[in-house]
Amino acid sequence: MAQRTDVFDLAALGLTPGEGRRLDLVVGLDPLDFGGETYAPEALVPARLEVSKMTGGGYALRLAFAVVLSGPCQRCLEAATPRVEVDAREVDQPGGGEELRSPYIDDGELDLAAWARDAYALALPTQVVCREDCAGLCPECGVSLNEDPGHAHEREPDPRWAKLRELRFE
Ligand SMILES: [Zn+2]
Ligand SMILES: [Zn+2]
């Protein structure tokens, strides 16, 4: 696989205003802590970067990639491998005001590693599960309800009935 790209030199593309380029790159991602667990993404991920030079100067960018995470299911703790799809856009227009500056672009250089990391963190699901309908663990004894769907506990008898049973009728 190709080398990972951490910083991409946009200026070196030599685009003229209105011109665009589509590039296949490799981004690097680090493991992350999420909900008290550590999740490891694939270390090297193929990514598609689209660069357009805007007619008024500056760049419009789009970054897309998909990554498979591995770590424990947050319901049943078995291995989970959710696929996370990332599709992010950035605009950087010098002179266009604060909101039109991208934090990832500085002087024609794109901080691809930082952008990929942030876009990926935003695309994470709210909960990592091994499968959508994971039944999780029994809250009383911790048994996996995926493996034992009929699992149930005898209801504790009402203590008032226990008292009644102690009574003896002669
Ligand atoms: Zn699960
Ligand atoms: Zn149980």
Side-chain angles (χ1 to χ4, degrees):
M1 190 179 272
Q3 286 283 307
R4 65 184 266 180
T5 303
D6 288 332
V7 175
F8 186 83
D9 191 349
L10 296 168
L13 290 173
L15 298 175
T16 55
E19 198 183 357
R21 189 76 54 84
R22 180 178 284 186
L23 301 123
D24 290 309
L25 302 172
V26 173
V27 294
L29 296 171
D30 297 322
L32 76 161
D33 291 321
F34 178 38
E37 304 286 353
T38 300
Y39 292 88
E42 299 157 283
L44 295 175
V45 181
R48 166 68 54 86
L49 176 67
E50 291 174 20
V51 182
S52 303
K53 181 121 184 199
M54 295 186 288
T55 47
Y59 295 94
L61 306 176
R62 183 177 182 183
L63 177 65
F65 59 91
V67 57
V68 176
L69 283 180
S70 54
C73 170
Q74 289 176 350
R75 287 186 206 154
C76 75
L77 307 178
E78 292 293 320
T81 53
R83 184 182 151 92
V84 178
E85 307 253 2
V86 175
D87 188 352
R89 291 165 194 272
E90 279 293 322
V91 168
D92 186 70
Q93 195 163 39
E98 205 42 41
E99 68 272 26
L100 287 175
R101 296 311 308 266
S102 167
Y104 308 113
I105 299 174
D106 186 28
D107 207 17
E109 284 200 335
L110 170 65
D111 189 345
L112 189 64
W115 186 19
R117 182 193 62 222
D118 292 350
Y120 153 71
L122 287 173
L124 288 173
T126 51
Q127 187 182 43
V128 173
V129 289
C130 59
R131 56 176 213 236
E132 274 308 309
D133 62 348
C134 172
L137 302 177
C138 170
E140 277 184 57
C141 71
V143 123
S144 170
L145 300 177
N146 294 323
E147 282 156 30
D148 189 1
H151 180 81
H153 290 266
E154 289 292 322
R155 291 183 66 85
E156 284 295 316
D158 190 312
R160 286 168 301 176
W161 292 110
K163 273 269 174 274
L164 267 184
R165 273 199 297 271
E166 284 167 17
L167 294 175
R168 295 198 192 276
F169 297 95
E170 320 253 324

